[in-house]
Amino acid sequence: MDIKDEIKEKLIGGDIAGVVEAVGKARDGGMPASEILLEALVPGIQEVGRLFEAGEAFLPEMMISAEAMKQGVAEIQSLLESTDIQSNGKVLIATVAGDVHDIGKNLVALMIKSAGFELEDMGVDVPTEKIVETVKTASPDVLALSALLTTTMQEIPLIIEALKTAGLRDKVKVLVGGAPISKQYAVESGADDYSPDALQAAKAVQSLIDG
Ligand code: B1M
């Protein structure tokens, strides 16, 4: 079996050790980290999502596959930490309230950090008040918000309203992303920009800081 199919199959099957081993094999065999990520790990976890939606996989299985994905990414993390962007500036990142998905957010954080920006990661399920308070105290140039659920993406306009109420909206640029979010939703929510993936998020941070 092709190594990428092997990684996918093990990820879908929740074989954590198997994923780590297969990713290591692909990496040591010279496969680029981005190829391992985008053509094996990401399609694998997406298939888990599809099976869950179809009622063919359940929450515990999705959790084990998510752990396998995280450990797989950890095997190639140091190789992913390089982009061609050179800059500086400060970014505050969080997954919004009610949402615990952090695999995508962590990839976005990794790319932003490796692009040379200072990064503060607030983690997942971060209450709006805490985000606003941290924008006030940490003064980031960019607030990066991730949301993976159609319910929790509705936190984004609320956060932006709360920033306005606190008199902070014109002091920070807001970048948003996550699977259910579109460019149009970002604009309607009052965000400054939207990115569909981690690499473009790092580029968007650069443009937002450059103005
Ligand atoms: Co959840 N989950 N989940 N889940 N989960 C989805 C999102 C879902 C689409 C699955 C499905 O039904 N097909 C569905 C959402 C449906 C909807 O809202 N319409 C869903 C559901 C329903 C749920 C629960 C409600 C299930 C339940 O309890 N009944 C529950 C909610 C928990 C909560 O948050 N309150 C839940 C729980 C979980 C786990 C804990 C088991 C686990 C998360 C573990 C973790 O993250 N630590 C999990 C997982 C793994 C998934 C799927 C399968 C995979 C998500 C993922 O990691 N993708 C997901 C299905 C899917 O996405 N197809 C699903 C890989 C990752 C690299 O991509 O996160 O999209 P992604 O990030 C990308 C881009 O979106 C973008 O860049 C990233 C990298 O390129 N991006 C940004 C993300 N943030 C960005 C920010 C930016 C810019 C770009 O700028 C700031």
Side-chain angles (χ1 to χ4, degrees):
M1 191 194 296
D2 170 45
I3 188 74
K4 287 188 266 185
D5 287 338
E6 193 182 324
I7 295 170
K8 262 189 274 181
E9 193 166 286
K10 293 199 156 124
L11 183 61
I12 294 162
D15 177 358
I16 299 176
V19 168
V20 169
E21 195 192 334
V23 167
K25 207 158 86 183
R27 178 200 59 209
D28 296 344
M31 186 177 286
S34 57
E35 189 175 334
I36 299 172
L37 178 68
L38 299 176
E39 295 179 24
L41 290 169
V42 169
I45 197 79
Q46 283 172 341
E47 176 60 10
V48 173
R50 194 196 65 74
L51 291 170
F52 175 75
E53 207 169 2
E56 291 170 39
F58 301 95
L59 197 57
E61 288 152 337
M62 192 153 73
M63 288 171 81
I64 295 169
S65 292
E67 184 55 32
M69 171 93 186
K70 282 190 167 186
Q71 294 199 22
V73 170
E75 288 298 303
I76 50 171
Q77 181 151 336
S78 59
L79 299 171
L80 290 167
E81 286 176 358
S82 63
T83 65
D84 52 2
I85 308 171
Q86 280 298 317
S87 186
N88 51 46
K90 187 168 181 182
V91 181
L92 181 67
I93 194 166
T95 297
V96 302
D99 199 323
V100 302
H101 295 87
D102 69 353
I103 294 173
K105 186 262 298 164
N106 292 347
L107 285 174
V108 170
L110 181 70
M111 288 301 158
I112 290 175
K113 224 155 94 182
S114 59
F117 299 101
E118 185 185 341
L119 185 101
E120 184 172 339
D121 187 345
M122 297 187 73
V124 297
D125 187 15
V126 186
T128 296
E129 314 77 64
K130 201 170 162 198
I131 292 176
V132 172
E133 192 49 39
T134 312
V135 167
K136 198 171 182 176
T137 52
S139 304
D141 299 289
V142 177
L143 171 63
L145 298 170
S146 178
L148 260 287
L149 300 170
T150 45
T151 45
T152 59
M153 72 183 199
Q154 294 166 33
E155 288 295 321
I156 289 170
L158 302 181
I159 294 167
I160 291 172
E161 260 324 294
L163 286 172
K164 281 185 192 158
T165 307
L168 295 166
R169 183 63 189 94
D170 59 349
K171 295 189 168 56
V172 66
K173 301 282 187 194
V174 181
L175 172 69
V176 299
I181 297 173
S182 62
K183 177 96 192 163
Q184 188 187 344
Y185 185 79
V187 170
E188 285 168 6
S189 303
D192 295 294
D193 206 354
Y194 151 83
S195 293
D197 61 45
L199 186 58
Q200 291 191 55
K203 291 183 175 161
V205 164
Q206 175 80 75
S207 325
L208 286 170
I209 289 178
D210 287 349

